[in-house]
Amino acid sequence: MAFSLSTESFAAAKSAVLIDSENGRILFEYNKDEKLPMASTTKIMTALIVLEEENIDEYFSVGKSDIAVEGSSMGLLPGDMVNLRILACGMLLASGNDAANAAAIRISGSVENFVRLMNKRAEEMGLFNTSFETPSGLDGKNHFSTAYDMAVLAKNAMENPLFAEICGSESLRLEYGNPPYKRILSNHNRLLKTLEGATGIKTGFTKKSGRCLVSSAEREGVSLICVTLCCPDDWNYHTALYNEYFGKLESVPLENLAKEKLVPVCGGAEKTVKAVPKKVSASLFEGEAERIEVVISAEPFVFAPVEKGKILGKALFYLDGELVAETPLLAEKTVEKVPESEGFWDNIKDNFQF
């Protein structure tokens, strides 16, 4: 049975959004700013904070109170030896509430202190419709987010290579316990097996929140993030959205749209150096490339010597006033410095028109 992308169909989900993971452009949305419980997709923030810590491979013992939390578990027992990397894996694959609690207490001393850290990071990311109350995603009066905020959080998280590697793994072999022994955790995200190009990210469910899903996928240079909150048929919704939009979008190279820019070189063997844009692309619908506007920002001058590849500015690419890509402008070649005895100061005067 074909899956419809009509507004009526999406009414079955309370909230949904699809964004370009490169620039955050909203491609599809349905009630994207409605505040709703987001269940274990919360662990995207928890795991990201955990993986940004130092010494994540240092083993420590978890206490009984550290893992005294209801719901899904990675199987921790009091006295088990673990490390923060393993706990992040336990959150993202097995959705372990025990892992989230243990990591929170290890990092901040208490769940409450860690939650304050989560909310601080949310504010820094501009997630102004999000409030965390638990590191695991268990329901709480002040625990909510929106589909759009969760998409922005996911975009930030996937920029961390270790986070992306873990959440994109169908299973991982880990070593923990008392004493540690090898075991395998499987990922709850079945899109990793069923969706072409799936790369992550996190599932979630409570009776209050319903089914929640934050996913990501990449095909032929186009990278997207999809979020649904309270969506009973989330696997099919995500699959349908990806198939629809991957079929409409194309990764388009943009660097050739930037006009040539010559930057004056003071004291150089040549008076100017060409600033060329580094390769860059954007995911565009048919006909959008013709509407791209380019804004060049470059140094007014540079002093020799100038090494090939030196950043001399940047090129910004706008679609209908919205920034869709940017790339640095690089020195096309090396320009050597002229010795003072060979006209260095005359060169300076020429560039400054003394």
Side-chain angles (χ1 to χ4, degrees):
M1 179 179 177
F3 189 82
S4 173
L5 291 177
S6 67
T7 301
E8 291 76 15
S9 294
F10 273 92
K14 284 190 176 180
S15 181
V17 71
L18 181 75
I19 70 167
D20 183 329
S21 62
E22 294 299 317
N23 53 40
R25 179 161 73 131
I26 298 171
L27 303 171
F28 171 89
E29 65 92 11
Y30 180 78
N31 295 337
K32 68 179 179 66
D33 295 319
E34 183 176 352
K35 295 178 181 178
L36 296 165
M38 63 292 202
S40 284
T41 61
T42 296
K43 296 186 180 84
I44 297 172
M45 176 65 88
T46 306
L48 176 60
I49 293 174
V50 168
L51 293 172
E52 291 173 343
E53 288 287 304
E54 296 180 356
N55 303 318
I56 62 172
D57 293 314
E58 179 182 321
Y59 274 83
F60 58 92
S61 175
V62 296
K64 183 177 180 180
S65 60
D66 300 342
I67 55 176
V69 58
E70 61 181 303
S72 54
S73 168
M74 66 177 289
L76 293 176
L77 297 173
D80 276 356
M81 299 298 295
V82 297
N83 59 42
L84 291 177
R85 183 194 299 266
I86 289 171
L87 293 179
C89 295
M91 291 178 228
L92 293 174
L93 273 69
S95 200
N97 293 345
D98 52 353
N101 250 44
I105 293 170
R106 173 69 175 179
I107 292 171
S108 299
S110 71
V111 168
E112 293 74 19
N113 287 341
F114 189 82
V115 167
R116 281 192 282 270
L117 179 59
M118 294 172 73
N119 284 315
K120 183 174 182 293
R121 285 300 303 277
E123 185 177 350
E124 291 169 353
M125 290 182 190
L127 312 182
F128 301 123
N129 290 316
T130 295
S131 174
F132 294 109
E133 193 172 313
T134 69
S136 61
L138 289 175
D139 295 328
K141 182 178 179 180
N142 295 309
H143 195 86
F144 57 82
S145 187
T146 67
Y148 179 68
D149 273 11
M150 292 305 297
V152 175
L153 169 58
K155 178 181 181 299
N156 278 271
M158 291 298 280
E159 291 170 1
N160 181 303
L162 183 52
F163 179 98
E165 178 185 352
I166 293 172
C167 77
S169 301
E170 292 185 23
S171 64
L172 288 172
R173 183 181 295 273
L174 305 171
E175 193 167 331
Y176 61 95
N178 185 19
Y181 63 93
K182 292 180 181 179
R183 59 185 88 183
I184 295 177
L185 290 184
S186 297
N187 201 319
H188 289 184
N189 182 5
R190 79 181 195 191
L191 288 182
L192 293 172
K193 294 181 178 180
T194 64
L195 176 70
E196 177 190 351
T199 56
I201 298 175
K202 186 71 189 76
T203 61
F205 173 80
T206 68
K207 288 183 178 179
K208 180 181 177 181
S209 71
R211 295 183 60 85
C212 301
L213 180 60
V214 179
S215 70
S216 60
E218 182 175 356
R219 297 179 194 172
E220 298 181 358
V222 178
S223 182
L224 306 178
I225 289 172
C226 184
V227 180
T228 51
L229 300 179
C230 195
C231 178
D233 196 22
D234 50 10
W235 304 122
N236 286 327
Y237 273 68
H238 285 237
T239 298
L241 272 173
Y242 284 126
N243 288 340
E244 175 80 6
Y245 280 84
F246 277 127
K248 294 178 177 179
L249 290 163
E250 180 182 5
S251 180
V252 179
L254 301 178
E255 63 272 10
N256 291 335
L257 299 179
K259 293 182 180 179
E260 179 180 298
K261 181 68 176 179
L262 295 177
V263 177
V265 180
C266 297
E270 299 183 40
K271 292 186 176 182
T272 62
V273 62
K274 186 184 295 185
V276 297
K278 187 177 180 180
K279 288 185 177 181
V280 64
S281 62
S283 302
L284 302 174
F285 295 106
E286 184 177 357
E288 286 187 329
E290 289 73 22
R291 305 206 307 273
I292 293 289
E293 295 183 2
V294 186
V295 175
I296 299 294
S297 173
E299 298 288 347
F301 63 89
V302 290
F303 286 100
V306 179
E307 295 292 330
K308 179 181 179 180
K310 176 182 173 65
I311 296 177
L312 302 176
K314 61 183 176 180
L316 305 174
F317 301 86
Y318 292 89
L319 174 64
D320 301 331
E322 181 179 0
L323 182 67
V324 294
E326 63 178 273
T327 191
L329 298 177
L330 309 177
E332 186 180 47
K333 62 180 181 180
T334 296
V335 178
E336 301 293 345
K337 181 179 178 180
V338 175
E340 292 187 21
S341 60
E342 298 180 14
F344 175 86
W345 291 109
D346 290 337
N347 181 291
I348 295 288
K349 291 177 182 178
D350 287 343
N351 275 296
F352 282 97
Q353 299 181 348
F354 287 166

